[in-house]
């Protein structure tokens, strides 16, 4: 249980006293304090430490303004009591604590084994399963933890995660069809095989929304994308609907709204800049590149795009804007002007997208004081409707200034054997091993 006082700034968490790490040592409030301060430490170098910046002193400690972790507002009062003091009231703080970044870490294991504490012979956990074996070239095997303290509705005693065998060589699909694979997630399936698997196993195919966003980002620190007109021109020369229809074909949907995806509170539908080639050409000319004269070759990274999708984009930008795009190989270290990537929020609040991912890594070099002010104000409000209104205004600024180019909103797709009788779904999580029920077969 927990208590909130001090106008929403002081949290007191009372932990269970019957939770133990897999080596039998009790999970304590000190493990949470250690984990959060370790994540915030500049020495750790964690890219998303700002996820905890609402905690008093967290930002200053992470950015080296204060040297001691004692200045951070997290303290174990005893083994069962954790005190957290925030910089200001934060409406999403409890949601934030559901993310993996807020989980405890076994200090005794980390200090005993250093970076090797997660090796199979040293790893210590406190979840519904324990890591029984791990071969990075083949399979990870999880075994049910009989001492798990939480609720679980499933009957799985063992989980084998095949994380290497790919669909393209027929390995996974053959395993599914001979019954040795119970669940097949298709996000790693090439487009053609993906459609084939869906048609071949239509009765076992399941699709549900995921809070995933694929987008293109621009390096606004240098030309040509330091100019918002150039960024807008690229956005308005992108036919998202055609891209989705031709290549994604129902697996993902075109991102015609804002940066906050559907099913997330604060989603703003249909605020995306329209596909408008004449206006795109006009903007490029207004920015000083009439007929694309003098426009540099755009270096780009395709991220999760497959080759035909990347070629489609570069062909359309060449046809409409007259610009050339060179897609960089993964080992090419030249700085890219444009990059395609994805973002999956780790807690269900717009703050995770509009504060944690902006300006880095989504929008390098882009800044807006108005935007930042809206996001900061929204984070301090407790009234839901007003918060979402401010987030909507901030999201519109991102889109209007073309700080990002949303491409697709994600969906999770998988095929389930008939004997998988319970398989929970959530836009926020892919796997619920502890609640899956499999019939004897």
């Amino acid at each position: 249980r927990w208590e909130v006082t001090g106008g929403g700034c002081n949290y007191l968490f009372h932990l269970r006293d019957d939770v133990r790490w897999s080596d039998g040592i009790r999970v304590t409030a000190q493990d949470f304090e250690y984990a959060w301060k370790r994540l915030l430490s500049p020495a750790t170098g964690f890219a998303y430490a700002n996820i905890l910046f609402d905690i008093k002193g967290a930002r200053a400690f992470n950015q080296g303004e204060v040297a001691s972790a004692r200045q951070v507002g997290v303290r174990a009062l005893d083994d069962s009591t954790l005190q957290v003091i925030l910089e200001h009231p934060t409406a999403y703080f409890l949601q934030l604590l559901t993310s993996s970044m807020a989980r405890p870490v076994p200090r005794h294991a980390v200090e005993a084994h250093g970076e090797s504490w997660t090796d199979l012979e040293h790893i210590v956990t406190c979840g519904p399963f324990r890591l029984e074996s791990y071969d990075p070239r083949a399979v990870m095997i999880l075994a049910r933890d009989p001492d798990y303290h939480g609720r679980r509705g499933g009957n799985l005693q063992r989980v084998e995660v095949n994380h290497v065998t790919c669909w393209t060589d027929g390995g996974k699909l053959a395993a599914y069809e001979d019954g040795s694979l119970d669940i097949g997630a298709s996000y790693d399936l090439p487009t053609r095989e993906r459609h084939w698997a869906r048609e071949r196993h239509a009765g076992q195919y399941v699709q549900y929304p995921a809070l995933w966003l694929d987008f293109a980002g621009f390096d606004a620190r240098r030309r040509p994308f330091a100019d918002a007109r150039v960024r807008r021109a690229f956005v308005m020369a992108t036919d998202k609907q055609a891209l989705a229809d031709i290549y994604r074909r129902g697996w993902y949907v075109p991102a015609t709204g804002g940066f906050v995806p559907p099913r997330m509170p604060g989603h703003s539908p249909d605020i995306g800049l329209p596909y408008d080639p004449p206006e795109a050409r006009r903007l490029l000319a207004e920015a000083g590149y009439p007929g694309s004269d003098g426009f540099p070759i755009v270096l780009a990274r395709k991220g999760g795009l497959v080759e035909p999708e990347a070629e489609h984009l570069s062909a359309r930008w060449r046809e409409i804007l007259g610009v050339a795009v060179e897609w960089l190989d993964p080992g090419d270290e030249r700085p890219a002007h444009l990059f395609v990537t994805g973002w999956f929020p780790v807690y269900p609040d717009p703050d995770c997208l509009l504060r944690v991912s902006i300006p880095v890594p989504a929008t390098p070099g882009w800044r807006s004081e108005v935007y930042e002010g809206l996001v900061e104000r929204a984070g301090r409000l407790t009234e839901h409707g007003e918060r979402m209104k401010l987030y909507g205004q901030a999201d519109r600024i991102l889109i209007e200034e073309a700080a990002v180019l949303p491409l697709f909103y994600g969906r999770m797709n998988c095929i389930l054997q008939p004997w998988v009788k319970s398989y929970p779904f959530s836009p926020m999580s892919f796997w619920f091993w502890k609640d899956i029920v499999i019939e004897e077969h």
Side-chain angles (χ1 to χ4, degrees):
R1 63 186 177 88
W2 59 87
E3 306 163 33
V4 185
T5 59
C9 291
N10 297 336
Y11 284 74
L12 203 62
F13 294 95
H14 302 276
L15 276 60
R16 297 170 58 129
D17 59 8
D18 60 347
V19 181
R20 297 189 177 276
W21 296 104
S22 53
D23 60 0
I25 295 177
R26 182 183 165 191
V27 178
T28 67
Q30 287 87 348
D31 291 319
F32 283 91
E33 177 183 0
Y34 173 75
W36 296 2
K37 290 179 176 178
R38 176 173 176 262
L39 183 151
L40 287 166
S41 172
T44 303
F46 183 55
Y48 300 108
N50 60 341
I51 200 171
L52 294 179
F53 277 5
D54 294 299
I55 297 173
K56 188 175 180 65
R59 182 194 302 268
F61 173 58
N62 177 257
Q63 297 181 353
E65 296 171 10
V66 298
S68 175
R70 295 190 186 93
Q71 303 293 323
V72 178
V74 179
R75 186 160 64 101
L77 302 184
D78 54 45
D79 286 352
S80 301
T81 312
L82 183 72
Q83 181 187 53
V84 182
I85 301 174
L86 305 183
E87 294 278 8
H88 48 73
T90 304
Y92 53 80
F93 186 65
L94 291 176
Q95 285 93 329
L96 184 154
L97 296 187
T98 66
S99 77
S100 60
M101 299 168 201
R103 293 174 186 168
V105 169
R107 180 173 186 169
H108 62 284
V110 178
E111 293 186 341
H113 303 293
E115 290 186 4
S116 67
W117 82 270
T118 55
D119 291 352
L120 183 62
E121 63 270 26
H122 301 313
I123 193 167
V124 174
T125 60
C126 64
F129 293 87
R130 296 182 181 182
L131 184 61
E132 185 175 284
S133 67
Y134 175 60
D135 182 347
R137 297 164 297 179
V139 175
M140 176 170 64
I141 297 178
L142 308 176
R144 184 184 180 102
D145 187 342
D147 299 323
Y148 177 61
H149 62 280
R151 292 176 293 179
R152 54 182 164 193
N155 65 350
L156 298 190
Q157 300 299 314
R158 176 185 173 93
V159 179
E160 296 183 6
V161 183
N162 188 327
H163 51 268
V164 171
T165 300
C166 64
W167 291 84
T168 49
D169 62 5
K172 278 190 177 178
L173 196 55
Y176 182 83
E177 292 180 341
D178 70 17
S180 59
L181 188 67
D182 300 299
I183 300 166
S186 58
Y187 50 74
D188 57 353
L189 207 71
T191 303
R192 184 175 60 183
E193 286 82 358
R194 193 179 291 180
H195 303 316
W196 184 74
R198 178 169 60 183
E199 292 172 3
R200 182 166 175 146
H201 300 284
Q204 297 158 26
Y205 163 78
V206 177
Q207 181 181 78
Y208 57 97
L211 295 182
W212 179 265
L213 171 75
D214 279 348
F215 65 94
F218 305 101
D219 188 344
R221 295 169 296 191
R222 56 198 179 105
R223 65 182 296 270
F225 293 117
D227 192 323
R229 293 168 296 186
V230 174
R231 300 194 301 268
R232 285 174 62 89
F234 269 70
V235 173
M236 299 179 82
T238 304
D239 189 344
K240 303 175 188 177
Q241 188 67 57
L243 194 62
D245 290 346
I246 296 170
Y247 301 105
R248 299 293 168 118
R249 294 171 57 186
W251 295 92
Y252 281 30
V253 295
T256 56
F259 195 66
V260 177
R263 300 296 179 114
M264 170 76 80
H267 170 63
S268 300
D270 302 322
I271 67 169
L273 296 177
Y275 174 58
D276 189 341
E279 177 63 9
R281 285 189 286 266
R282 189 196 69 79
L283 284 167
L284 201 65
E286 185 181 290
Y289 304 102
S292 74
D293 288 348
F295 202 89
I297 295 175
V298 174
L299 303 181
R301 299 195 184 279
K302 62 177 178 285
L305 294 180
V306 295
E307 194 66 33
E309 292 172 332
E311 291 175 359
H312 173 92
L313 281 176
S314 53
R316 298 299 291 160
W317 289 334
R318 181 174 61 250
E319 176 186 335
I320 295 169
L321 301 175
V323 303
V325 176
E326 179 185 346
W327 296 99
L328 299 175
D329 293 329
D332 194 324
E333 297 183 356
R334 286 178 291 171
H337 300 94
L338 179 152
F339 55 92
V340 178
T341 186
W343 184 260
F344 190 91
V346 294
Y347 56 96
D349 192 272
D351 175 81
C352 190
L353 290 119
L354 300 180
R355 177 181 64 88
V356 176
S357 68
I358 305 291
V360 175
T363 57
W366 181 82
R367 287 287 307 274
S368 166
E369 291 184 2
V370 175
Y371 172 89
E372 293 169 1
L374 288 167
V375 172
E376 183 178 356
R377 283 167 54 202
R380 298 187 182 194
L381 292 177
T382 55
E383 203 285 312
H384 181 77
E386 281 300 310
R387 290 186 68 233
M388 295 305 113
K389 182 179 178 180
L390 294 180
Y391 283 133
Q393 293 172 14
D395 204 356
R396 188 175 290 274
I397 290 173
L398 271 184
I399 299 303
E400 290 293 328
E401 295 197 12
V404 289
L405 164 52
L407 292 170
F408 307 109
Y409 297 131
R411 290 176 177 172
M412 185 63 176
N413 303 271
C414 60
I415 46 178
L416 306 176
Q417 296 283 12
W419 51 80
V420 179
K421 293 303 180 182
S422 176
Y423 186 87
F425 299 105
S426 165
M428 278 297 300
S429 182
F430 294 153
W431 309 118
F432 293 88
W433 304 124
K434 70 184 183 71
D435 296 313
I436 291 175
V437 175
I438 293 185
E439 275 187 344
E440 289 189 24
H441 57 281

